[in-house]
Structure formats: C-alpha cells, structure tokens
Amino acid sequence: MERTARVASTPTPEPLPAGDVAALLDGVPRQRGPGAAPAPGLPRTALAARSWCVPPWRLLPSPTGTPVTFAYAAILALTSLFASWASPGLLYAVYQDSSTDVAHLLRTPVFVLLASALWIAGGLLSPYAFAFVLVLTALERRIGGARAILVFLAGHVLATLATEVPVGLAVLAGRLPDTSLHRLDYGISFGVAASIGALSGLLAPWLRWSLLALVGYSLVTDLIAFQDPMTNWGHLISLGIGTGFWPLVRRWRRERVQALALAGAVPVAP
C-alpha cells in the first residue's frame, strides 16, 4: 500500500513532442539478450513469415547469394565429371593420392585432408551430393560462407582423425593387418553430416529434432548393417561434432542478422 501511494502521488510527466521522443530513443542502447526486440525493420512476425516463404531457387547455391557453396559445388561437379570419364587405373591412383588413410596422414596430412574433400563417393547422384547442396546453402545463408566451411571442415577433419587414429593404433597392437594402413578413405560425407548437425541448431524445435531423428536413424541403420563400420562411425561422430557447434552457430546467426539489418537487407530465414 505504501509503494502504491507513492507511485500515485508522482506527478504525471508532460508528453514529449514526437521529435523529442525519437531523439531519446536514438540514445537508448539496443539490447542483445534473448528477450530483446528485433532490430529495426525486422519484426519477429515478419521474420517468422519469411522463414516459410522462401522462393525455391533460394534453396540452391548462387554466385551472389552463397558464393562459397556455389564455388565448392562447382569444383565437386568437375571432379565428379573427371571420375566418370577417367580410366579405372588413373582414377584409382588419384583416389589413392587423395586418401586420408593412416599411411598418407603420416606423410602428407594437410594435403590429403584437403584433397579428400574434393571428391564425392558415389558421384553426383549420391545422396550426400544433394545434401551438400541443400545444407551448405542453408548454412551459408544463415552464418556466412567462411563460417559454414569452417563447420564443414571441422567435421571432415575431426571425424577422419577419430576413425583413422584407432586404425593405426590397432595395427601397431597387431589387431589389424598392415593393409589397413592403406584403406581408401575420401569424400565429403563427414563434412556434410557435421553441417547437418550444425544447421539443425538453427531450425525450429520440431524441425530440428525431426531432422536429427531422421538422419540419426539412417546412420545407425547403416552402422547396424556393418558394411563399412569405420565410415559409419565417422558419420555419427561428425553429426555429433556439428551439434556441438550450436552455441557458436546461433551466435554467428545473431551477428549476421544484425549486420544485415544495419545494411538494410532482410535475411532469408531467422
């Protein structure tokens, strides 16, 4: 009652002219917390509506909208065409030189870790080729090209090491033959799985968990089939690596939204 009485006795301030109000608001620092209002020109309702009104062609990479994904996809298309026309002997030699097997990782680690990501196992019709185009495009639009490639390479490199280092140790312990040191290992699948994991953290909850459940079920099914357990374990590891990027990709997304707002542009999706 005492607090209410004091508030009631406070004189009502005179309303300020519209220009003075605008000047005062310009002096108030914008907040960045989760409950803060959206940046000017980006109301929450508009952003939510735009997430469901994305033109179909914006799901694909473009030289202006997603230049990094577009350039990478063009390189993968060229290497896939080379693989479809090269002789079997030449193609095997190129794959072997690009392989991230234990022997090559010990000799030229940086070269093979980069070269192995220039090939699509299964060619342009591989499911990972379609996933690469859709997922990397969506990720680049949300966090930028350099950061999207950073997530991709983190999954590719870390999952490769997580699967190949145990092979080398098993050979040293006599549990695997020496031929395991030269097992062909190349492709973009680890990076794609990590990108899927990272992208899911930027989606609506129902879509996030649906995507993770679908992809996780597919990867676990492949692992149970036991046709290529080392690669299948690598896919699960890289998916986990991608989910570990959630705090970073969410921060990068907020920074990108603010940068686009200041530039007067509206992002594709929140």
Side-chain angles (χ1 to χ4, degrees), residues 15-26:
L16 293 173
D20 293 341
V21 173
L24 287 176
L25 291 179
D26 287 340

Side-chain angles (χ1 to χ4, degrees), residues 5-190:
R6 275 202 295 266
V7 172
S9 64
T10 303
T12 304
E14 291 293 332
L16 293 173
D20 293 341
V21 173
L24 287 176
L25 291 179
D26 287 340
V28 178
R30 293 177 175 84
Q31 302 300 311
R32 299 181 58 185
L42 292 173
R44 283 196 177 94
T45 53
L47 285 177
R50 288 183 65 85
S51 66
W52 297 103
C53 301
V54 179
W57 60 86
R58 292 182 69 85
L59 299 175
L60 300 176
S62 67
T64 55
T66 54
V68 174
T69 302
F70 184 85
Y72 197 172
I75 293 173
L76 291 174
L78 291 176
T79 58
S80 297
L81 289 175
F82 171 82
S84 63
W85 289 98
S87 64
L90 175 60
L91 187 60
Y92 179 81
V94 173
Y95 281 161
Q96 192 175 42
D97 290 340
S98 305
S99 175
T100 50
D101 54 64
V102 177
H104 283 89
L105 283 174
L106 290 174
R107 292 200 300 267
T108 55
V110 176
F111 173 79
V112 295
L113 284 170
L114 294 177
S116 62
L118 300 179
W119 306 95
I120 305 176
L124 291 175
L125 299 181
S126 166
Y128 283 100
F130 293 100
F132 171 88
V133 171
L134 295 177
V135 173
L136 262 293
T137 298
L139 197 59
E140 181 173 355
R141 289 193 185 279
R142 284 162 172 80
I143 65 175
R147 290 166 173 174
I149 288 299
L150 175 63
V151 172
F152 179 93
L153 289 178
H156 175 72
V157 172
L158 296 178
T160 296
L161 296 178
T163 51
E164 291 292 350
V165 169
V167 171
L169 296 176
V171 171
L172 287 176
R175 304 296 298 272
L176 288 176
D178 291 346
T179 55
S180 300
L181 300 176
H182 304 278
R183 176 186 179 276
L184 283 181
D185 188 15
Y186 62 91
I188 61 172
S189 59
F190 289 173

